[in-house]
């Protein structure tokens, strides 16, 4: 009797075993293809391969416990008569086809995602699902999605056909109670692994690609979804609040700043600059994905000679060669340039609730009588940009303000950069006619997949990053050429930088070469050209700009005016959505959830890093101080204006 019952249960749940084998096999194949794609970034070390495939198999089996539930529930609940009927079998084969297609589709999606971001599914994948119009449109414009879907359907049909005997419903008399016991065991295992494992446990290798390959994309996706907002105090190393804020006031003190209060948690300073204020127009351009290795003067070994206009501009500008981006997403760059604060863990402030009335760069300009605008080439609902900027001192202007006759090309992300610059020129003309100085933060989109732009602008064919970089450079040169004919040109400061680099993946979790971006400050009549080789953070751009204008103003910025800062105090912040890095001198300290501070000696040109033999406690505590206090101030509403 026991044997017959056991045999009946094995028959009933045989399709679940089939699904498990298919899932693990596809996961293995995806991992193998990704390993090949990484090439020399994962050395041919058998121990490394054993680790990534062994640990990877473990994560695949854990993930199977979750993704197997739809099949498990059907096999549990479907009555035997319906299960074995002709129509029941047909429907079950259709159900198996849908599950198999899903497994193959996700595997193919992982290959595409890795090609773009050099990682398994992560917070970026979660983030993009919120904006299905842009993401689906980007996929359609970038890839032969119809052809790929047809091929996946054919592959799924082949899988189902050749394994039809294993999928075919059979049941020689299983009982509901017996099936329930199987489900109970599965449930117990699911609950157990949920408490026993997390996504970070695989990260034991010094090679970040090995850690990524050891994960499972589906598991990583849901882990990122769960941790999209991380409570700093709960997950990261901390100091007592009084100690942290005491250290912060020391770290923020500069020769041009005086604290306005003795309240230890009030970081408001009065910034005093000598000489008359220069109420010049300001155009701050954050260029999509303008990596440092695209421009001359930052890394000769990687320079690709795609940006002749920017390369020529370097000798005519204040050109900063050691600037590092806050993060790997556009919203991180916007956050740094608007608020001048270190990144907070999880989601960017730009997209978080209660992000209105924060102390911003526009507030300083508005107090000086400027018209302040955020001008974006796409639709500003994306990434919550319009809401954030409109509620923090800026007028939000997006592609809705661009006349159709002024659009030479557009894709799902936005209009061509040249058309965006046409809008900027019109906005500046309007401000000039009204006699008001103008501050515009301009965010471009052309250097983004699908990499399309007006024909005939550059020599390279469309559809690839190098061509988009070449066009981005052409559009900047064309903009400055057109602007030079305007009466406001001589009294305008142009700041050109990047939101982030074109790629974020590297051998380490925080590869510095993937955060290295350029900065040009160009105003021929007012700012003398020079090369500045001091370390600089993206959050230092706002106060450095205001210092060049000789502005005196109240500040809650974390950034420094680089020209007022004593040598040796330079530092930069680099981050993913979970890992928070602090670069000071030759030391990179990083904060990781539920772990002590990690300190490394980074290689700025290669992205590699070596662990420190003797960790520097001062750097570790400074890293904690900056990130802990920034998170505290935002979550407690202390970044807001006093009137709010």
């Amino acid at each position: 009797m026991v044997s017959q019952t056991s045999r009946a249960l094995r028959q009933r749940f045989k399709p679940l075993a089939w699904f498990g084998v298919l899932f693990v096999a596809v996961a293995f194949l995806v991992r193998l293809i990704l390993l090949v794609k990484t090439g020399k970034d994962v050395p041919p070390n058998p121990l490394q391969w054993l680790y990534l495939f062994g640990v990877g198999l473990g994560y695949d089996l854990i993930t199977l416990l979750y993704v197997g539930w739809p099949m498990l529930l059907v096999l549990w609940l479907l009555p035997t008569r319906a299960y074995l009927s002709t129509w029941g079998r047909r429907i079950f084969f259709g159900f198996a086809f849908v599950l198999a297609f899903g497994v193959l589709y996700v595997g193919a999606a992982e290959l595409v995602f890795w090609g773009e971001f050099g990682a398994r599914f992560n917070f970026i994948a979660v983030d993009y699902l919120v904006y299905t119009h842009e993401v689906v449109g980007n996929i359609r414009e970038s890839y032969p999605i119809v052809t790929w879907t047809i091929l996946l359907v054919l592959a799924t049909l082949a899988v189902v056909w050749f394994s039809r005997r294993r999928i075919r419903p059979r049941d020689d008399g299983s009982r509901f109670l017996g099936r329930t016991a199987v489900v109970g065991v599965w449930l117990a295992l699911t609950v157990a692994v949920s408490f026993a494992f997390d996504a970070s446990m695989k990260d034991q290798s010094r090679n970040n690609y090995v850690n990524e390959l050891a994960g499972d994309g589906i598991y990583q996706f849901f882990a990122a979804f769960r941790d999209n907002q991380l409570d700093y105090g709960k997950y990261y190393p901390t100091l007592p609040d009084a100690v942290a804020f005491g250290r912060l006031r020391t770290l923020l003190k500069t020769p041009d700043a005086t604290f306005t209060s003795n309240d230890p948690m009030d970081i408001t300073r009065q910034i005093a600059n000598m000489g008359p204020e220069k109420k010049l127009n300001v155009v701050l351009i954050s260029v999509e994905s303008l990596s440092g290795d695209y421009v001359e003067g930052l890394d000769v070994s990687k320079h690709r000679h795609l940006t002749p206009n920017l390369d020529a501009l370097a000798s005519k500008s204040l050109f900063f060669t050691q600037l590092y981006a806050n993060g790997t997403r556009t919203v991180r760059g916007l956050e740094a340039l608007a608020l001048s604060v270190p990144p907070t863990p999880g989601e960017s402030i730009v997209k978080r609730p209660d992000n209105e009335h924060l102390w911003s760069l526009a507030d300083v300009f508005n107090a000086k009588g400027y018209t302040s605008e955020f001008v974006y080439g796409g639709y500003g609902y994306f990434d919550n940009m319009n809401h954030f900027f409109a509620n923090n001192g800026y007028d939000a202007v997006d592609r809705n303000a661009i006349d159709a006759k002024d659009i030479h090309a557009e894709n799902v992300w936005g209009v061509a950069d040249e058309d965006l610059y046409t809008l900027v020129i019109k906005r500046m003309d309007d401000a000039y006619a009204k006699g008001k100085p103008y501050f515009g933060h301009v965010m471009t989109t052309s250097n983004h997949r699908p990499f399309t732009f007006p024909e005939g602008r550059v020599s390279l064919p469309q559809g690839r990053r190098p061509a988009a970089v070449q066009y981005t450079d052409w559009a900047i040169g064309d903009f400055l050429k057109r602007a030079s004919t305007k009466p406001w040109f001589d009294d305008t400061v142009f700041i050109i930088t990047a939101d982030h680099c074109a790629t974020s993946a590297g051998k380490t979790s925080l590869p510095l070469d993937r955060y290295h971006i350029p900065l040009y400050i160009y105003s021929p009549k007012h700012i003398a050209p020079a090369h500045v080789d001091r370390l600089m953070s993206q959050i230092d751009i706002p106060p450095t700009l205001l210092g060049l204008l000789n502005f005196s103003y109240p500040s809650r910025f974390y950034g420094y005016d680089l020209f007022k800062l004593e040598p040796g105090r330079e530092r930069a912040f680099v981050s993913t959505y979970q890992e928070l890095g602090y670069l000071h001198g030759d030391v990179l300290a990083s904060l990781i959830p539920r772990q002590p501070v990690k300190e490394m000696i980074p290689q700025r040109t290669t992205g590699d890093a070596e662990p420190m033999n003797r960790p520097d406690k001062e750097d570790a505590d400074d890293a904690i101080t900056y990130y802990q206090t920034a998170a505290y101030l935002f979550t407690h509403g202390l970044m807001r204006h006093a009137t709010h």
Side-chain angles (χ1 to χ4, degrees):
M1 181 69 178
V2 174
S3 177
Q4 183 177 352
T5 301
S6 176
R7 184 171 63 252
L9 287 174
R10 285 199 300 271
Q11 288 179 335
R12 170 66 83 137
F13 288 102
K14 193 173 184 179
L16 179 62
W18 163 82
F19 177 74
V21 170
L22 174 65
F23 180 83
V24 171
V26 171
F28 172 83
L29 183 61
V30 168
R31 187 171 288 110
L32 179 61
I33 294 173
L34 295 182
L35 174 61
V36 173
K37 286 171 69 72
T38 60
K40 63 181 181 181
D41 288 327
V42 176
N45 183 329
L47 291 178
Q48 295 268 39
W49 291 358
L50 180 63
Y51 178 83
L52 67 90
F53 281 109
V55 174
L57 175 61
Y59 273 98
D60 295 339
L61 293 174
I62 290 171
T63 307
L64 177 61
L65 288 171
Y66 297 105
V67 300
W69 271 99
M71 175 70 81
L72 182 70
L73 290 174
V74 168
L75 295 173
W76 173 39
L77 297 173
L78 197 63
T80 302
R81 182 176 297 178
Y83 181 55
L84 298 179
S85 69
T86 300
W87 278 105
R89 289 177 176 178
R90 290 174 180 174
I91 293 173
F92 188 77
F93 268 102
F95 174 67
F97 175 89
V98 171
L99 291 183
F101 178 80
V103 170
L104 294 177
Y105 187 90
V106 170
E110 275 215 78
L111 298 179
V112 174
F113 190 84
W114 183 280
E116 184 73 14
F117 299 105
R120 308 302 286 262
F121 289 146
N122 57 22
F123 187 69
I124 297 175
V126 175
D127 218 21
Y128 274 5
L129 282 185
V130 177
Y131 301 98
T132 54
H133 171 73
E134 283 79 6
V135 174
V136 172
N138 183 43
I139 292 171
R140 287 175 176 171
E141 294 176 356
S142 303
Y143 304 102
I145 192 67
V146 174
T147 301
W148 287 2
T149 301
I150 292 173
L151 291 175
L152 286 172
V153 169
L154 293 176
T156 306
L157 286 171
V159 167
V160 172
W161 173 258
F162 285 110
S163 56
R164 62 190 183 280
R165 292 182 179 178
R166 295 184 177 277
I167 305 172
R168 183 182 179 184
R170 291 185 175 88
D171 190 334
D172 286 344
S174 72
R175 297 184 179 276
F176 183 75
L177 186 61
R179 300 200 301 269
T180 301
V182 173
V183 174
V185 172
W186 196 279
L187 176 62
L189 289 173
T190 304
V191 172
V193 300
S194 298
F195 285 99
F197 296 92
D198 63 49
S200 66
M201 295 176 71
K202 63 180 173 49
D203 299 332
Q204 304 300 319
S205 172
R206 286 171 51 189
N207 187 315
N208 190 58
Y209 286 114
V210 172
N211 292 331
E212 286 290 334
L213 291 169
D216 180 277
I218 297 174
Y219 188 91
Q220 296 298 112
F221 176 87
F222 285 101
F225 181 82
R226 180 188 60 205
D227 293 336
N228 68 337
Q229 289 193 26
L230 294 170
D231 183 330
Y232 183 94
K234 181 178 179 181
Y235 291 99
Y236 292 88
T238 61
L239 299 170
D241 286 336
V243 173
F245 277 95
R247 292 181 65 92
L248 180 65
R249 285 170 73 93
T250 299
L251 290 168
L252 294 182
K253 186 71 178 74
T254 55
D256 60 338
T258 304
F259 283 96
T260 61
S261 166
N262 292 323
D263 181 350
M265 292 187 178
D266 182 2
I267 64 170
T268 307
R269 288 100 63 212
Q270 182 63 38
I271 306 298
N273 279 294
M274 304 300 293
E277 294 187 343
K278 303 174 184 177
K279 291 192 177 180
L280 306 176
N281 303 305
V282 174
V283 179
L284 169 58
I285 305 173
S286 46
V287 180
E288 172 68 40
S289 302
L290 186 62
S291 299
D293 53 5
Y294 292 131
V295 301
E296 187 174 25
L298 297 193
D299 188 345
V300 177
S301 65
K302 296 181 180 180
H303 184 224
R304 305 179 190 183
H305 305 285
L306 297 172
T307 56
N309 290 296
L310 287 173
D311 293 346
L313 189 65
S315 63
K316 304 173 185 176
S317 309
L318 271 178
F319 180 50
F320 297 78
T321 64
Q322 290 298 322
L323 171 67
Y324 289 86
N326 260 26
T328 60
R329 298 293 317 285
T330 294
V331 284
R332 285 300 188 193
L334 297 180
E335 172 187 276
L337 294 171
L339 304 180
S340 185
V341 295
T344 52
E347 189 62 270
S348 164
I349 288 175
V350 174
K351 299 181 65 177
R352 292 176 67 173
D354 301 319
N355 65 358
E356 302 86 3
H357 312 300
L358 308 179
W359 200 279
S360 75
L361 179 57
D363 291 326
V364 178
F365 282 110
N366 292 340
K368 306 292 184 183
Y370 279 67
T371 295
S372 297
E373 295 184 336
F374 172 71
V375 189
Y376 178 50
Y379 292 116
Y381 71 83
F382 182 76
D383 273 350
N384 202 45
M385 285 187 272
N386 275 356
H387 177 86
F388 171 78
F389 283 99
N391 286 280
N392 287 291
Y394 300 77
D395 292 328
V397 183
D398 64 9
R399 70 189 289 179
N400 286 306
I402 302 176
D403 293 335
K405 63 180 178 60
D406 291 330
I407 298 177
H408 291 83
E410 59 183 325
N411 56 40
V412 70
W413 292 111
V415 300
D417 286 357
E418 63 192 85
D419 303 329
L420 173 63
Y421 294 138
T422 297
L423 174 62
V424 174
I425 289 173
K426 287 185 176 181
R427 308 296 294 191
M428 295 189 72
D429 285 343
D430 291 344
Y432 181 79
K434 296 175 183 176
K436 295 197 69 174
Y438 178 86
F439 165 54
H441 182 167
V442 183
M443 182 66 228
T444 73
T445 62
S446 289
N447 191 25
H448 193 297
R449 193 178 295 277
F451 308 129
T452 56
F453 45 84
E455 296 285 352
R457 300 298 193 251
V458 299
S459 59
L460 295 176
Q462 298 198 29
R464 296 177 62 247
R465 174 81 70 181
V469 173
Q470 200 174 57
Y471 171 72
T472 293
D473 177 76
W474 179 91
I476 291 171
D478 178 68
F479 170 55
L480 293 178
K481 182 178 179 180
R482 286 190 283 159
S484 68
T485 66
K486 295 294 183 176
W488 40 259
F489 176 79
D490 284 346
D491 290 327
T492 300
V493 179
F494 298 90
I495 301 99
I496 301 170
T497 188
D499 57 348
H500 56 79
C501 285
T503 182
S504 58
K507 294 180 182 178
T508 61
S509 53
L510 292 175
L512 287 186
D513 61 327
R514 304 305 191 188
Y515 292 84
H516 193 194
I517 59 175
L519 171 63
Y520 309 80
I521 300 181
Y522 173 63
S523 185
K525 298 292 185 181
H526 297 277
I527 297 177
H531 273 57
V532 183
D533 297 323
R534 298 175 67 183
L535 176 64
M536 187 179 188
S537 175
Q538 201 173 24
I539 72 170
D540 297 329
I541 294 176
T544 299
L545 164 65
L546 296 173
L548 290 170
L549 297 175
N550 284 335
F551 280 7
S552 296
Y553 59 97
S555 172
R556 291 185 191 167
F557 298 152
Y558 275 69
Y560 295 137
D561 177 350
L562 196 65
F563 297 111
K564 301 296 194 305
L565 186 68
E566 305 93 331
R569 294 185 59 193
E570 304 91 341
R571 81 285 165 269
F573 304 92
V574 294
S575 72
T576 63
Y577 78 99
Q578 280 193 326
E579 187 165 357
L580 309 173
Y582 172 73
L583 177 63
H584 178 236
D586 295 325
V587 178
L588 176 62
S590 69
L591 312 181
I592 303 171
R594 304 183 185 92
Q595 295 186 29
V597 180
K598 179 174 67 174
E599 292 186 274
M600 298 159 287
I601 304 297
Q603 299 295 321
R604 298 191 186 185
T605 56
T606 66
D608 292 342
E610 295 291 333
M612 285 187 65
N613 294 327
R614 296 181 179 180
D616 188 316
K617 188 176 186 305
E618 284 297 306
D619 278 335
D621 285 350
D622 285 349
I624 294 171
T625 293
Y626 276 116
Y627 285 114
Q628 177 180 334
T629 57
Y632 183 97
L633 290 175
F634 177 74
T635 56
H636 287 77
L638 299 177
M639 285 187 183
R640 293 172 178 264
H641 294 284
T643 54
H644 295 278

